[in-house]
Structure formats: C-alpha cells, structure tokens
Amino acid sequence: EHHHLHLSSCHECLQLENSTIESVRFASAENIPELSDDCNSKLEEKNNDCLARGIKRVNLAGKPPNVLIYLGSETAKVEFEQVKSILQECIDADSYTIYQLHEEQVLKAPWIDNSLLLIIATDEAISEENHKQFMKFLSKGGKILGFSSSFTFDGIQIKRKSKLKKTVHELVVSKMDNTEIKLNLLVSGCIFEKVMKEDTSKVKTLSRLNNADKDIVVVHLSYGDSGGEAILSQAHLELDINSVDVQTEDDFNLLKISNTKRFEVLKEILISLGLSCELNEIPMLTPIYLLSSDEEINLAFLKWLEGSVDAEGLKPSSKVSLKFVTSWESKMEITPSFMQVITEVGSFSSEHFSLKTYQQNLQTKKLGKIVLFTEVTTTTMNLLDG
C-alpha cells in the first residue's frame, strides 16, 4: 500500500506493450497447448465442445494460427497492407493473425514451426537459401500460397510469356466440387509448365487461360508426408481492382464485373489450404457505463468531471473522444473515435458483469471504486489514452 501504481499510458508502457507483442509473435509452438486448461479438466463431459474450441484456436495442423506474407527484400509496407486487407475480407479474422515475414527473418526467426500459411507475393527471384527454408516449411506440413511469384518446385516450372504481361484474360477455374467458374483477372506474364521428367502426379491444374494455348496459371502441388501443399497462381487474385494498373477502361470493367468471383475463388483456395473463411459478424459498439461501488467517491468523481469536460460534456482525446451523458437514447451513434459514457446507471444490468459481485469482492479503500464498463469496444488502450 506504500507504492504508487503506474497506470499512465506513457511511452514506457507502449514500449513494454510492443516488446511483449514481439515476444509473443514467434512464440514456440510447443508452448501453445492444443486445448485450453479448462478443456483438459472437463474433457470427458465436454469432449466435443472442447475439441471444437481447441481446433478453432490452434487449427487442424496443430500449428499456431499465424499467416505470414513474404514480399521479398523490399520493406513493401503498402503492398503488405494491400494483401493483408484482401485476406482479412476472406478469412475468419478472429482465428488468425497476419504478419509480414521480412527478408532478414526468413533464415533466422523460428517461423517454420509457428505458422500455418506462408504467402509469397513477390516476383523477384527467390534465393537458394530462402527456397530451402520454404521447402522445409512444406516438409513440416506448412501451406504456401504464391501470388505471381517465382517460387516453384518439383514437377512445375515457370515460362515467361511477355505478350500476357499486365493484360486481363478470362480464366477457367476448377472448383472443389468439380464445377468450373469463369472470371477475368490481370495475369503476370508468366505461365506454368509441367516438367515431364519429374513425377507430376502430385501436380494438379486448377486454372487455365481461356485462350488457344490453354495456358496453365494456377496449380496445386503436394509435398512430403506431413500434409505440406502449395497453390501457386500467376493470376493476380490478391490485387484490389482499384490498385491494378490496366491498359483500357474495358479491362477495368471486366475486372470489376469479376470482383465477386475473385473473392469466391480466393476463399475456395484458402479453404482448401485448411483455413476457415467463415466470416463472423462484427458486433455493434455499445455505450460505456460509469459504475461505482462507493457513493461518496462517485460524487467526488462526478464533481471533478464537471471541470474536465466542455459545456457539451465532451472529453476530447487523440484517439477516442468521450461524451458524458446522463442516460442512453437509441438515436445516439457510437463510433471507434466517439463514445458515450452513461453517468446515471440506477437500472444497469449486464449478463457479462455483475456490479454486486464486484462490490462484494473489492477490498480496497479507493482503487477500483470507479469502473468504466462496456460490452463491446475496439480496444481499451485507445479508451485510456491520455
């Protein structure tokens, strides 16, 4: 009781937060249990439920649910955000974490055991050392998705066709249910060819161009005995149509018409590589309730608050502005940067939080007597900033 608690959102705290994130990012796979402790203790009675929750968190391959994007030697921040945003529109965002795999991390960081999917989205040549690492990842059951990259292995090679570069072509894609879908995409200027001397039984053609040569542009390759597989595409499934540099307005319109099908194909590819593409509906943000377990402290806090907000009851901040109001009205709008705080909460109730239980267990003189509670928010870090 003689030590001050450090609760400010300062530079030191942010440094600690960032270093913690970095530490957790490449945490050892052995340290991530397949099932949470509460599942293990009640496995007999809740077997199915626990397995479902365990698999959702760790996934069927038993690897941490990290998705890595490799963009070659460039830092490529903009390209990373572009590919990441496309992925987030396809996969269940609550189940996976997306990171950039930087060039200097390929040979050093322990990502091979700690990642579910590696996306290679660069057309620059892959060094021999990096290629070995990627093959090692496949041999351990990893999945690779190539977006117009130079990465290949075994019974497939890349052939350049300069007349195809930056052109929009119709593709015929074979779906998992053996039906076909046609769509227009920008192609890289390269195609795949099967190498006859190699065993091509592990190579499956997923898509061809609808042209005279029936050029192969998407292939599926399996590797090793641990479930390693790769889907490589020389069509730009990863590019948002607004970021594509096309030659004519007709080409742009063709891409626009095919945009829904592009997402359909991309989701199918991700599902076939073992990812979940069930999109969870994002819940609506809820107001914040100012709760107190001590009437005297609550009154003192409200008096202090009067001098801290403007005439409209607003407390501005760099990230979230708080608007203090006595009661909630349905017409009020809540956004990530503007939230209401309800100060008179005589009839407060929530299935997620019992103020009575909280009061009964709180054993401090002052700390914790004032509580800001909300059921759905973006991040509490922003709420408390400043």
Side-chain angles (χ1 to χ4, degrees), residues 137-197:
F137 175 61
L138 286 172
S139 70
K140 293 196 169 191
K143 316 288 183 180
I144 288 180
L145 175 54
F147 288 136
S148 303
S149 78
S150 60
F151 177 77
T152 57
F153 60 94
D154 285 359
I156 208 82
Q157 66 182 16
I158 289 175
K159 178 184 177 182
R160 293 196 178 277
K161 268 198 168 184
S162 53
K163 66 179 181 180
L164 294 177
K165 193 173 177 69
K166 285 199 172 180
T167 57
V168 175
H169 277 271
E170 186 177 62
L171 278 70
V172 181
V173 181
S174 302
K175 296 182 70 179
M176 284 189 282
D177 60 4
N178 294 320
T179 60
E180 289 185 341
I181 184 172
K182 291 182 179 179
L183 72 160
N184 289 283
L185 286 177
L186 187 74
V187 292
S188 69
C190 293
I191 60 166
F192 294 112
E193 285 189 334
K194 293 183 180 180
V195 185
M196 291 306 169
K197 62 182 179 182

Coordinates of all heavy atoms in Angstrom, one line a residue, residues 137-197:
F137 N 9.6 -25.7 -44.6 CA 8.3 -25.4 -44.1 C 7.2 -26.3 -44.7 O 6.4 -26.9 -43.9 CB 7.9 -23.9 -44.5 CG 6.5 -23.5 -44.1 CD1 6.1 -23.5 -42.8 CD2 5.6 -23.0 -45.1 CE1 4.9 -23.0 -42.4 CE2 4.4 -22.6 -44.7 CZ 4.0 -22.6 -43.4
L138 N 7.3 -26.6 -46.0 CA 6.3 -27.6 -46.6 C 6.5 -29.0 -46.0 O 5.5 -29.7 -45.8 CB 6.6 -27.6 -48.1 CG 6.0 -26.4 -48.9 CD1 6.5 -26.5 -50.4 CD2 4.5 -26.3 -48.9
S139 N 7.8 -29.3 -45.8 CA 8.1 -30.7 -45.3 C 7.5 -30.9 -43.9 O 7.3 -32.0 -43.5 CB 9.6 -31.0 -45.4 OG 10.2 -30.2 -44.4
K140 N 7.3 -29.8 -43.2 CA 6.7 -29.9 -41.9 C 5.2 -29.7 -41.8 O 4.6 -29.4 -40.8 CB 7.4 -28.9 -40.9 CG 8.9 -29.3 -40.7 CD 9.4 -28.5 -39.5 CE 10.8 -29.1 -39.1 NZ 11.2 -28.5 -37.8
G141 N 4.6 -29.8 -43.0 CA 3.1 -29.7 -43.1 C 2.6 -28.3 -43.3 O 1.4 -28.0 -43.2
G142 N 3.5 -27.4 -43.6 CA 3.1 -26.0 -43.9 C 2.4 -25.8 -45.2 O 2.5 -26.7 -46.1
K143 N 1.7 -24.7 -45.4 CA 1.0 -24.4 -46.6 C 1.5 -23.2 -47.2 O 1.8 -22.2 -46.5 CB -0.5 -24.2 -46.3 CG -1.2 -25.2 -45.4 CD -1.3 -26.6 -46.0 CE -2.0 -27.6 -45.0 NZ -2.2 -28.9 -45.6
I144 N 1.7 -23.2 -48.5 CA 2.2 -22.0 -49.2 C 1.2 -21.5 -50.3 O 0.6 -22.4 -51.0 CB 3.6 -22.2 -49.9 CG1 4.6 -22.3 -48.8 CG2 3.9 -21.1 -50.9 CD1 6.0 -22.6 -49.3
L145 N 1.0 -20.2 -50.4 CA 0.1 -19.7 -51.4 C 1.0 -18.6 -52.2 O 1.5 -17.7 -51.6 CB -1.1 -19.0 -50.8 CG -2.1 -18.2 -51.7 CD1 -2.5 -19.1 -52.9 CD2 -3.3 -17.7 -51.0
G146 N 1.2 -18.9 -53.5 CA 2.0 -18.0 -54.3 C 1.2 -17.1 -55.1 O 0.3 -17.5 -55.9
F147 N 1.4 -15.8 -55.0 CA 0.7 -14.8 -55.8 C 1.7 -14.2 -56.9 O 2.6 -13.4 -56.5 CB 0.2 -13.6 -55.0 CG -1.0 -14.0 -54.2 CD1 -1.1 -13.6 -52.8 CD2 -2.1 -14.8 -54.7 CE1 -2.2 -13.9 -52.1 CE2 -3.2 -15.1 -54.0 CZ -3.3 -14.7 -52.6
S148 N 1.7 -14.7 -58.1 CA 2.6 -14.2 -59.2 C 4.0 -14.2 -58.7 O 4.7 -13.3 -59.0 CB 2.1 -12.8 -59.6 OG 0.8 -12.8 -60.0
S149 N 4.4 -15.2 -58.0 CA 5.8 -15.3 -57.5 C 6.6 -16.2 -58.4 O 6.1 -17.0 -59.2 CB 5.8 -15.8 -56.1 OG 5.7 -17.2 -56.0
S150 N 8.0 -16.2 -58.2 CA 8.9 -17.0 -59.0 C 9.1 -18.4 -58.3 O 9.8 -19.2 -58.8 CB 10.2 -16.3 -59.2 OG 10.8 -16.1 -57.9
F151 N 8.4 -18.6 -57.1 CA 8.6 -19.8 -56.4 C 7.9 -21.0 -57.0 O 6.7 -21.0 -57.3 CB 8.0 -19.6 -54.9 CG 8.1 -20.9 -54.1 CD1 9.3 -21.3 -53.5 CD2 7.0 -21.7 -53.9 CE1 9.4 -22.4 -52.8 CE2 7.0 -22.8 -53.1 CZ 8.2 -23.2 -52.5
T152 N 8.7 -22.0 -57.3 CA 8.2 -23.3 -57.8 C 9.0 -24.5 -57.2 O 10.1 -24.2 -56.7 CB 8.2 -23.4 -59.3 OG1 9.6 -23.3 -59.8 CG2 7.3 -22.4 -60.0
F153 N 8.5 -25.7 -57.4 CA 9.3 -26.8 -57.0 C 8.8 -28.1 -57.7 O 7.8 -28.1 -58.4 CB 9.3 -27.0 -55.5 CG 8.0 -27.3 -54.9 CD1 7.5 -28.5 -54.7 CD2 7.2 -26.2 -54.5 CE1 6.2 -28.8 -54.1 CE2 5.9 -26.4 -54.0 CZ 5.4 -27.7 -53.8
D154 N 9.6 -29.1 -57.6 CA 9.3 -30.4 -58.2 C 8.8 -30.4 -59.7 O 9.6 -29.9 -60.5 CB 8.2 -31.1 -57.4 CG 8.8 -31.7 -56.1 OD1 10.0 -31.5 -55.9 OD2 8.1 -32.3 -55.3
G155 N 7.6 -30.9 -60.0 CA 7.3 -31.1 -61.4 C 6.7 -29.9 -62.1 O 5.9 -30.0 -63.1
I156 N 7.0 -28.7 -61.7 CA 6.5 -27.5 -62.3 C 7.6 -26.4 -62.6 O 8.5 -26.3 -61.8 CB 5.3 -26.9 -61.5 CG1 4.3 -26.2 -62.4 CG2 5.8 -26.0 -60.4 CD1 3.3 -27.1 -63.0
Q157 N 7.5 -25.7 -63.7 CA 8.4 -24.6 -63.9 C 7.7 -23.4 -64.5 O 6.5 -23.6 -65.0 CB 9.6 -25.1 -64.9 CG 9.1 -25.4 -66.3 CD 10.2 -25.9 -67.2 OE1 11.3 -26.2 -66.7 NE2 10.0 -25.9 -68.5
I158 N 8.3 -22.3 -64.5 CA 7.7 -21.1 -65.0 C 8.2 -20.7 -66.3 O 9.4 -20.8 -66.6 CB 7.9 -19.9 -64.0 CG1 7.1 -20.1 -62.7 CG2 7.6 -18.6 -64.6 CD1 7.4 -19.1 -61.6
K159 N 7.3 -20.4 -67.2 CA 7.7 -19.9 -68.6 C 7.2 -18.5 -68.8 O 6.0 -18.2 -68.5 CB 7.1 -20.8 -69.6 CG 7.5 -20.4 -71.1 CD 6.8 -21.3 -72.1 CE 7.1 -20.9 -73.5 NZ 6.4 -21.7 -74.5
R160 N 8.0 -17.6 -69.2 CA 7.6 -16.2 -69.4 C 6.9 -16.1 -70.8 O 7.3 -16.6 -71.8 CB 8.8 -15.3 -69.4 CG 9.4 -15.1 -68.1 CD 10.3 -13.9 -68.0 NE 10.9 -13.8 -66.6 CZ 10.3 -13.3 -65.6 NH1 9.1 -12.8 -65.7 NH2 10.8 -13.2 -64.4
K161 N 5.8 -15.3 -70.8 CA 5.1 -15.0 -72.0 C 4.8 -13.5 -72.0 O 3.8 -13.0 -71.4 CB 3.7 -15.8 -72.1 CG 3.8 -17.1 -72.8 CD 2.4 -17.6 -73.2 CE 2.5 -18.7 -74.2 NZ 1.2 -19.1 -74.7
S162 N 5.7 -12.8 -72.5 CA 5.7 -11.3 -72.4 C 4.4 -10.7 -72.9 O 4.0 -9.6 -72.4 CB 6.9 -10.7 -73.1 OG 7.0 -11.1 -74.4
K163 N 3.8 -11.3 -73.9 CA 2.6 -10.7 -74.5 C 1.4 -10.8 -73.5 O 0.4 -10.1 -73.7 CB 2.2 -11.4 -75.8 CG 1.8 -12.9 -75.6 CD 1.4 -13.5 -77.0 CE 0.9 -14.9 -76.8 NZ 0.6 -15.5 -78.1
L164 N 1.5 -11.6 -72.5 CA 0.5 -11.7 -71.5 C 0.7 -10.7 -70.3 O -0.3 -10.4 -69.5 CB 0.5 -13.1 -70.8 CG 0.1 -14.3 -71.8 CD1 0.2 -15.6 -71.0 CD2 -1.3 -14.1 -72.3
K165 N 1.9 -10.1 -70.2 CA 2.2 -9.2 -69.1 C 1.2 -8.1 -69.0 O 0.9 -7.4 -69.9 CB 3.6 -8.7 -69.2 CG 4.1 -8.1 -67.9 CD 5.6 -7.8 -68.0 CE 6.2 -7.1 -66.8 NZ 6.2 -7.9 -65.6
K166 N 0.7 -7.9 -67.8 CA -0.3 -6.8 -67.4 C -1.5 -6.7 -68.4 O -2.0 -5.7 -68.7 CB 0.5 -5.4 -67.5 CG 1.3 -5.2 -66.2 CD 1.7 -3.7 -66.0 CE 2.4 -3.5 -64.7 NZ 2.7 -2.1 -64.5
T167 N -1.9 -7.9 -68.8 CA -3.2 -8.0 -69.6 C -4.2 -8.7 -68.8 O -4.0 -9.5 -67.9 CB -2.9 -8.7 -70.9 OG1 -2.4 -10.0 -70.6 CG2 -1.9 -8.0 -71.8
V168 N -5.5 -8.4 -69.1 CA -6.6 -9.0 -68.5 C -7.1 -10.2 -69.4 O -7.3 -10.0 -70.6 CB -7.8 -8.0 -68.3 CG1 -9.0 -8.7 -67.7 CG2 -7.3 -6.9 -67.3
H169 N -7.2 -11.4 -68.8 CA -7.7 -12.6 -69.5 C -8.7 -13.3 -68.8 O -8.8 -13.2 -67.5 CB -6.5 -13.5 -69.8 CG -5.6 -13.1 -70.9 ND1 -5.9 -13.6 -72.2 CD2 -4.5 -12.3 -71.0 CE1 -5.0 -13.1 -73.0 NE2 -4.2 -12.3 -72.3
E170 N -9.5 -14.0 -69.5 CA -10.5 -14.9 -68.9 C -9.9 -16.2 -68.4 O -9.1 -16.8 -69.2 CB -11.7 -15.2 -69.9 CG -12.8 -16.0 -69.2 CD -14.0 -16.2 -70.1 OE1 -13.8 -16.9 -71.1 OE2 -15.1 -15.7 -69.8
L171 N -10.2 -16.6 -67.2 CA -9.7 -17.8 -66.6 C -10.8 -18.8 -66.4 O -11.9 -18.4 -66.2 CB -9.0 -17.6 -65.2 CG -7.6 -17.1 -65.1 CD1 -7.5 -15.6 -65.5 CD2 -7.1 -17.2 -63.6
V172 N -10.5 -20.1 -66.6 CA -11.4 -21.1 -66.3 C -10.9 -21.8 -65.0 O -9.8 -22.4 -65.1 CB -11.6 -22.1 -67.4 CG1 -12.6 -23.2 -67.0 CG2 -12.0 -21.4 -68.7
V173 N -11.6 -21.7 -63.9 CA -11.1 -22.3 -62.6 C -11.9 -23.5 -62.2 O -13.1 -23.5 -62.3 CB -11.2 -21.2 -61.5 CG1 -10.7 -21.8 -60.2 CG2 -10.5 -19.9 -61.9
S174 N -11.2 -24.6 -61.9 CA -11.8 -25.8 -61.4 C -12.0 -25.7 -59.9 O -11.1 -25.5 -59.2 CB -10.9 -27.0 -61.7 OG -10.6 -27.1 -63.1
K175 N -13.3 -25.9 -59.5 CA -13.6 -25.7 -58.1 C -13.6 -27.1 -57.4 O -13.4 -28.1 -58.1 CB -15.0 -25.1 -57.9 CG -15.1 -23.7 -58.5 CD -16.5 -23.1 -58.2 CE -16.8 -22.9 -56.8 NZ -18.1 -22.3 -56.5
M176 N -13.6 -27.1 -56.1 CA -13.5 -28.4 -55.3 C -14.7 -29.3 -55.6 O -14.5 -30.5 -55.5 CB -13.4 -28.0 -53.8 CG -12.1 -27.5 -53.4 SD -11.9 -27.4 -51.6 CE -12.9 -25.9 -51.2
D177 N -15.8 -28.8 -56.0 CA -17.0 -29.7 -56.3 C -17.0 -30.1 -57.7 O -18.0 -30.6 -58.2 CB -18.3 -28.9 -55.9 CG -18.5 -27.7 -56.7 OD1 -17.6 -27.3 -57.6 OD2 -19.5 -27.0 -56.4
N178 N -15.8 -29.9 -58.4 CA -15.6 -30.3 -59.8 C -16.4 -29.5 -60.8 O -16.5 -29.8 -62.0 CB -16.0 -31.8 -60.0 CG -15.0 -32.7 -59.3 OD1 -13.8 -32.4 -59.3 ND2 -15.5 -33.8 -58.7
T179 N -17.0 -28.4 -60.4 CA -17.6 -27.5 -61.3 C -16.6 -26.4 -61.8 O -15.5 -26.4 -61.2 CB -18.8 -26.7 -60.7 OG1 -18.3 -26.0 -59.6 CG2 -19.9 -27.7 -60.3
E180 N -16.9 -25.7 -62.8 CA -16.0 -24.7 -63.3 C -16.6 -23.3 -63.1 O -17.8 -23.1 -63.2 CB -15.6 -24.9 -64.7 CG -14.7 -26.1 -64.9 CD -14.3 -26.3 -66.4 OE1 -15.0 -25.7 -67.3 OE2 -13.3 -27.0 -66.7
I181 N -15.7 -22.3 -62.9 CA -16.1 -20.9 -62.8 C -15.2 -20.1 -63.8 O -14.0 -20.3 -63.8 CB -16.1 -20.4 -61.4 CG1 -16.6 -19.0 -61.3 CG2 -14.7 -20.5 -60.8 CD1 -16.8 -18.5 -59.8
K182 N -15.8 -19.1 -64.5 CA -15.0 -18.3 -65.4 C -15.0 -16.9 -64.8 O -16.0 -16.3 -64.4 CB -15.7 -18.3 -66.8 CG -15.5 -19.6 -67.5 CD -16.1 -19.5 -68.9 CE -15.9 -20.9 -69.7 NZ -16.5 -20.8 -71.0
L183 N -13.8 -16.3 -64.9 CA -13.7 -14.9 -64.4 C -12.5 -14.2 -65.1 O -11.6 -14.9 -65.6 CB -13.5 -14.8 -62.9 CG -12.2 -15.2 -62.3 CD1 -12.0 -14.6 -60.9 CD2 -12.1 -16.8 -62.2
N184 N -12.5 -12.9 -65.1 CA -11.4 -12.1 -65.7 C -10.5 -11.6 -64.7 O -10.9 -11.1 -63.7 CB -12.0 -11.0 -66.6 CG -12.7 -11.4 -67.8 OD1 -12.0 -11.8 -68.8 ND2 -14.0 -11.4 -67.8
L185 N -9.2 -11.8 -64.9 CA -8.1 -11.4 -63.9 C -6.9 -10.8 -64.7 O -6.7 -11.2 -65.8 CB -7.7 -12.5 -63.0 CG -8.6 -13.0 -61.9 CD1 -8.0 -14.2 -61.2 CD2 -8.9 -11.9 -60.9
L186 N -6.2 -10.0 -64.0 CA -4.9 -9.5 -64.5 C -3.9 -10.6 -64.4 O -3.8 -11.2 -63.3 CB -4.5 -8.3 -63.7 CG -3.2 -7.5 -64.3 CD1 -3.6 -6.7 -65.5 CD2 -2.7 -6.6 -63.2
V187 N -3.2 -10.9 -65.4 CA -2.2 -12.0 -65.4 C -0.8 -11.5 -65.3 O -0.5 -10.3 -65.8 CB -2.4 -13.1 -66.5 CG1 -3.7 -13.8 -66.3 CG2 -2.3 -12.4 -67.8
S188 N 0.2 -12.2 -64.8 CA 1.5 -11.7 -64.5 C 2.4 -11.7 -65.8 O 3.4 -10.9 -65.7 CB 2.2 -12.6 -63.5 OG 2.4 -13.9 -64.1
G189 N 2.1 -12.4 -66.8 CA 3.0 -12.5 -67.9 C 3.9 -13.8 -67.8 O 4.8 -14.0 -68.6
C190 N 3.5 -14.7 -66.9 CA 4.2 -16.0 -66.7 C 3.1 -17.0 -66.7 O 2.0 -16.8 -66.3 CB 5.0 -16.1 -65.5 SG 6.5 -15.0 -65.5
I191 N 3.5 -18.3 -67.1 CA 2.6 -19.4 -67.0 C 3.3 -20.6 -66.5 O 4.6 -20.5 -66.3 CB 2.0 -19.8 -68.4 CG1 3.1 -20.1 -69.4 CG2 1.1 -18.7 -69.0 CD1 2.7 -20.8 -70.6
F192 N 2.6 -21.6 -66.1 CA 3.3 -22.8 -65.5 C 3.3 -23.9 -66.6 O 2.4 -24.0 -67.4 CB 2.5 -23.4 -64.3 CG 2.5 -22.5 -63.1 CD1 1.3 -21.8 -62.7 CD2 3.7 -22.2 -62.4 CE1 1.3 -21.0 -61.6 CE2 3.7 -21.4 -61.3 CZ 2.5 -20.8 -60.9
E193 N 4.4 -24.6 -66.6 CA 4.6 -25.8 -67.4 C 5.0 -27.0 -66.6 O 5.8 -26.9 -65.7 CB 5.7 -25.6 -68.5 CG 5.2 -24.6 -69.6 CD 6.2 -24.6 -70.8 OE1 7.4 -24.9 -70.5 OE2 5.8 -24.4 -71.9
K194 N 4.4 -28.2 -66.9 CA 4.8 -29.4 -66.2 C 6.1 -29.9 -66.8 O 6.3 -29.9 -68.0 CB 3.7 -30.4 -66.3 CG 2.4 -30.0 -65.5 CD 1.3 -31.1 -65.6 CE 0.1 -30.6 -64.8 NZ -1.0 -31.7 -64.9
V195 N 7.0 -30.3 -65.9 CA 8.3 -30.9 -66.3 C 8.1 -32.4 -66.5 O 7.9 -33.1 -65.5 CB 9.4 -30.6 -65.3 CG1 10.7 -31.1 -65.8 CG2 9.4 -29.1 -65.0
M196 N 8.2 -32.9 -67.7 CA 7.9 -34.3 -68.0 C 8.8 -35.3 -67.3 O 8.4 -36.3 -66.9 CB 8.0 -34.5 -69.5 CG 6.9 -33.8 -70.3 SD 5.3 -34.3 -69.6 CE 4.2 -33.1 -70.4
K197 N 10.1 -34.9 -67.0 CA 11.0 -35.9 -66.4 C 10.7 -36.1 -64.9 O 11.1 -37.0 -64.3 CB 12.4 -35.4 -66.6 CG 12.8 -34.1 -65.9 CD 14.2 -33.7 -66.2 CE 14.5 -32.3 -65.6 NZ 15.9 -31.9 -65.8

